[in-house]
Amino acid sequence: MKALILVGGFGTRLRPLTLSVPKPLVDFANKPMILHQIEALKDVGVTEVVLAINYQPEVMLNFLKDFEAKLGIKITCSQETEPLGTAGPLALARDKLIDGSGEAFFVLNSDVINEYPFAELIKFHKSHGGEATIMVTKVDEPSKYGVVVMEEETGKVDRFVEKPKIFVGNKINAGIYLLNPSVLDRIELRPTSIEKEVFPQIAADQKLFAMVLPGFWMDVGQPRDYITGLRLYLSSLRKRTPSKLAGGSHIVGNVLVHESAVIGEGCLIGPDVAIGPGCVVESGVRLSRCTVMRGARVKKHSCISSSIIGWHSTVGQWARIENMTILGEDVHVCDEIYSNGGVVLPHKEIKSSILKPEIVM
Amino acid sequence: MAGLDPPPSSLSLSLSSPPQALEIHPFESPSSSSSSIFTFHPSHLIFSHLEFTQFSVIPCSFKAMGSSEERVVAVIMVGGPTKGTRFRPLSLNVPKPLFPLAGQPMVNHPISACRRIPNLAQVYLIGFYEEREFALYVSAISNELRVPVRYLREDKPRGSAGGFYSFRNYIMEDSPSHIFLLNCDVCCSFPLPEMLDAHKSYGGMGTILVIKVSAESAHQFGELVADPDTKELLHYAEKPETFVSDLINCGVYVFTPNIFAAIEEAIVERRGKAELRRITSFEALQSATKAIPADYVRLDQDILSPFAGKKEFYTYETLDFWEQIKTPGMSLKCSALYLHQFRYTSPQLLANANDAKGATIIGDVYIHPSAKVHPTAKVGPNVSISANARIGAGVRLISCIILDDVEVLENAVVIHSIVGWKSSIGKWSRVQGEGDCNAKLGITILGESVAVEDEVVVINSIVLPNKTLSVSVQEEIIL
């Protein structure tokens, strides 16, 4: 089986992290974002993944060679030379997606984190016999998005309504599709929107079905949602494979610690914390609702909450980091510094406190 | 002329004609006859009419000026990528030394100034950037300016004197009698030949270019006290808290080769001190202050300051302009200073008010030959337009740098701004800065590939690459 992941552009909303690596390679829960999706696809029998990108293909490809070898799955890139929207990339990758077997292929948005219930999706798709299945998720404020209006019983999609003014339904497009190869015949190689042009056509032919995504769903393309997403992910991990989470008297709630990370004495870690490979957390440190990325060091007696600490950064002794502080790669916060929402670009040293949210270039 | 050993050099040397003047080592007694055998000391080698082949493609001819001249090597310190964070967001796309001022890469300006030095043998650029970032530039500029330029990469930070010292073998290859050391991010008129003459008359180990600034701003720099008559350096203080002097260090120096001995002394002394005293456990716990390694030597604090008052260092005062190019705001100001200087040194580079293109030109303006400017546009003063830019009808540009491939659509206005490569400025949009080159958000900077949509206003903001602005913004940094 094949899959296409729409990686898209520059990931500017996740800067400063995306100034160091392309967005799909930004770590989430100690793993590059895109690896979560690739692993889930492999588990359900996908043998080839195509990444639709338009930015920094060399960086991506180098990195993916590693994964190809480790995971035993083929990964290729399909590069847009001009932005092709949400459907155009499928046409561009046509030859890679169709292999004559007539098998359906997956299409995923890269920013979306969820439980990837691909096996259930395949089952549902086969059962209804339609041309395309999309996964939808329930949200509280559907008017912010495009709403999918569907028959509750069969899942057949009636229509799409973009940002509806009155309540028409509370299910929105979750960015996961399973499509028959015939869908590609409906897409031209030009900038095209899958929601506005392609799906409505299929719905009109009564061949589009929707399945409600079980479990959590989060678009982690920006820092605030990244932190919320981590909470949802770890809570889901607690239900499925609790052994992966850390335990001990110094742990509160759901905490993920990479096996190569080191944690000192007298710390209190959690809830909702991910500590990456090679990290060093010295003694007396308090961490909550935060991510500490590969190679970072958190020095003694410091306190971090609701923040992201970038690769190879250091947080000084007695420092206090909170309120959506994002440290880019190789940022060094000196001892006793306070950061309230500082957003710091890579390779900086913070020698004075940041009292109000501020970008430090 | 027997016994002539070729000088130790990595350059391939071909003599187009026999050397015409040779000097005997001064500590040996001169031979009695002119055709006697002499010993040859590389540091006193004096040639003329030589061709050096630096690269396989580019020959470089000496400015031969008669018989006994002394060669000069110029060294320009260009810094490195992690050092120049103040130059963001422009430094996210291009090494700071290659950012264009008045239409030419920043480092072109000191290199061009070096060309005016008689008997310039070589220019070295020393920095922390990867070699490949400078490879193309170095070969192009060597070709264009007919000056051999080479980039040398520092492997680790050794301080402003340490880095210079670590490459002494390269620098001394040409057996120069004098060595200029310049900082790339200094914007000034570089009066190098005059400085050299002054240095020779002082007879010391080095001469420092200095300038008078206001007493209030002097503390940001190295302050020097000089003897008003002899011009000798009497005292040096780096960024002092209290007022020492309104004469400051411009970051341009000329030395005689014995500067290397002085630096070596400083290194030896440091090593001695470091061994005598082990780092105490207290110092080891200091996380914020990193221990300074033994071979880290700063020119100002470790060489100039201790030698002040010992008749080794002298000063040469410039009355022209001088600025440091630390931030993008300053690059806009310095671009204007160089554009103005072109009026006197290279007026052919400036856009002619009577240009065939027809656009209205006010003041000092540089337009790259490949750029297209609509006849109804009004450009200037202080505008620099780079290659392949397209300036549409009715556009007004004041005090700005328009980089390569930018498209400015009809009736847009750009004031006190830097517009990054491949950006597009929509119709009737307004991209503006207040014009305070020292403030954090004093000018507007658009990074690479930024799109400002029609009728949008952008004021005093910094926009990182690949963003599209569809609503107006003021005083914002957009990541």
Side-chain angles (χ1 to χ4, degrees), chain A residues 34-346:
Chain A
I34 204 165
L35 196 55
H36 290 265
Q37 295 172 322
I38 296 180
E39 285 178 348
L41 288 167
K42 168 144 203 286
D43 286 344
V44 87
V46 169
T47 51
E48 181 176 348
V49 175
V50 182
L51 304 183
I53 55 179
N54 60 23
Y55 184 61
Q56 292 192 320
E58 332 73 41
V59 183
M60 290 292 298
L61 283 168
N62 272 339
F63 181 79
L64 297 169
K65 276 194 188 32
D66 273 342
F67 283 171
E68 266 190 323
K70 283 187 200 145
L71 294 177
I73 184 174
K74 186 169 171 208
I75 307 178
T76 53
C77 286
S78 167
Q79 192 185 357
E80 298 168 35
T81 44
E82 44 146 6
L84 290 174
T86 46
L90 278 72
L92 187 63
R94 187 194 175 95
D95 295 330
K96 297 192 168 119
L97 295 169
I98 298 191
D99 59 2
S101 67
E103 255 193 313
F105 59 91
F106 287 98
V107 176
L108 311 184
N109 278 342
S110 68
D111 289 354
V112 169
I113 300 285
N114 56 79
E115 283 167 12
Y116 308 115
F118 296 144
E120 290 99 313
L121 179 56
I122 293 175
K123 200 159 143 211
F124 178 65
H125 183 78
K126 286 188 175 146
S127 77
H128 65 65
E131 197 182 356
T133 309
I134 67 175
M135 298 208 79
V136 294
T137 183
K138 194 164 106 160
V139 293
D140 290 335
E141 291 186 63
S143 309
K144 288 194 205 166
Y145 308 90
V147 175
V148 180
V149 181
M150 55 195 260
E151 274 176 34
E152 293 298 316
E153 311 251 317
T154 59
K156 183 135 68 92
V157 174
D158 188 36
R159 66 192 193 284
F160 281 77
V161 185
E162 195 59 28
K163 295 191 178 45
K165 300 228 167 40
I166 55 164
F167 184 86
V168 294
N170 58 8
K171 312 284 191 306
I172 61 155
N173 183 355
I176 301 172
Y177 322 132
L178 187 53
L179 310 175
N180 284 352
S182 54
V183 172
L184 290 172
D185 299 330
R186 299 182 186 257
I187 308 175
E188 286 170 23
L189 182 54
R190 59 174 177 82
T192 318
S193 160
I194 206 167
E195 282 189 353
K196 295 191 184 129
E197 297 173 61
V198 182
F199 285 158
Q201 271 179 41
I202 309 178
D205 292 346
Q206 313 277 311
K207 290 190 178 157
L208 179 65
F209 288 79
M211 174 180 172
V212 179
L213 181 73
F216 74 98
W217 178 89
M218 198 79 214
D219 175 341
V220 295
Q222 49 188 352
R224 191 167 296 277
D225 295 335
Y226 179 106
I227 293 186
T228 309
L230 185 63
R231 175 174 61 77
L232 295 172
Y233 175 88
L234 292 178
S235 143
S236 158
L237 202 57
R238 167 74 65 192
K239 289 184 213 139
R240 290 178 294 147
T241 38
S243 55
K244 290 199 177 160
L245 293 174
S249 55
H250 58 297
I251 303 288
V252 173
N254 300 326
V255 172
L256 192 62
V257 181
H258 192 271
E259 57 201 5
S260 62
V262 170
I263 300 184
E265 304 277 307
C267 292
L268 188 58
I269 315 280
D272 305 322
V273 173
I275 300 177
C279 288
V280 176
V281 177
E282 294 182 6
S283 52
V285 168
R286 176 81 183 97
L287 300 178
S288 66
R289 279 173 283 277
C290 61
T291 292
V292 182
M293 291 194 177
R294 170 191 306 272
R297 171 180 286 263
V298 182
K299 294 193 176 171
K300 296 185 201 166
H301 319 298
S302 53
C303 175
I304 304 179
S305 75
S306 302
S307 296
I308 302 175
I309 310 300
W311 310 268
H312 307 290
S313 290
T314 56
V315 173
Q317 296 185 37
W318 290 284
R320 191 179 178 102
I321 309 291
E322 60 185 25
N323 193 20
M324 297 301 307
T325 290
I326 321 280
L327 304 185
E329 181 188 12
D330 185 42
V331 169
H332 302 277
V333 176
C334 292
D335 294 349
E336 298 149 24
I337 296 295
Y338 171 62
S339 166
N340 174 15
V343 176
V344 186
L345 265 64

Side-chain angles (χ1 to χ4, degrees), chain B residues 359-360 373-379 391-397 408-414 426-429:
Chain B
T360 310
V373 181
H374 196 275
T376 57
K378 189 168 174 186
V379 180
I391 310 298
V395 165
R396 183 74 181 96
L397 302 178
V408 183
L409 296 173
E410 295 84 70
N411 306 309
V413 176
V414 181
K427 300 180 204 180
W428 288 284
S429 64

Side-chain angles (χ1 to χ4, degrees), chain A residues 10 12 15 335 346 348 361, chain B residues 85 88 287 465-467 477:
Chain A
F10 307 104
T12 63
R15 284 173 173 162
D335 294 349
K348 295 290 295 184
M361 285 218 287
Chain B
T85 64
R88 287 171 173 171
S287 53
N466 303 111
K467 298 296 291 189
I477 298 178

Side-chain angles (χ1 to χ4, degrees), chain B residues 15-67:
Chain B
L15 299 176
S16 57
S17 60
Q20 294 193 346
L22 289 157
E23 192 173 80
I24 299 166
H25 193 293
F27 297 121
E28 289 181 359
S29 48
S31 314
S32 50
S33 80
S34 57
S35 61
S36 60
I37 293 167
F38 59 91
T39 52
F40 170 94
H41 192 287
S43 67
H44 293 269
L45 184 65
I46 295 155
F47 277 175
S48 60
H49 301 297
L50 279 178
E51 277 188 299
F52 289 97
T53 306
Q54 172 72 6
F55 305 91
S56 51
V57 194
I58 304 157
C60 166
S61 45
F62 248 37
K63 286 193 181 143
M65 293 184 43
S67 40

Side-chain angles (χ1 to χ4, degrees), chain B residues 439-451:
Chain B
K440 184 174 168 194
L441 290 177
I443 65 163
T444 286
I445 305 165
L446 305 184
E448 186 186 21
S449 298
V450 168

